[in-house]
Amino acid sequence: MCTAKGEVYQQSSLPVQLTESQSQIYCSLYTSNQELLKLSPIIDHLLSRRG
């Protein structure tokens, strides 16, 4: 449904149809989540050092 850049493409695997506006919001949140997931190991490492 979303490209790596957060853009919407039509071939959706979601069981429900979203409006264009909802799709844009979904893709924006999805992209942000993917970026935050990349930081998770770094944050875990930094927090574990604080002990």
Side-chain angles (χ1 to χ4, degrees):
M1 174 165 185
C2 304
T3 67
K5 295 180 182 178
E7 298 163 348
V8 180
Y9 65 89
Q10 295 302 333
Q11 299 164 346
S12 174
S13 60
L14 292 178
V16 294
Q17 285 291 85
L18 302 177
T19 66
E20 186 172 339
S21 178
Q22 289 171 325
S23 296
Q24 289 172 348
I25 293 168
Y26 175 86
C27 286
S28 178
L29 290 172
Y30 175 83
T31 303
S32 296
N33 187 56
Q34 296 306 304
E35 292 299 313
L36 289 171
L37 286 174
K38 293 177 190 175
L39 297 176
S40 183
I42 298 166
I43 294 169
D44 287 343
H45 177 71
L46 291 172
L47 290 175
S48 69
R49 290 179 22 197
R50 294 178 66 184

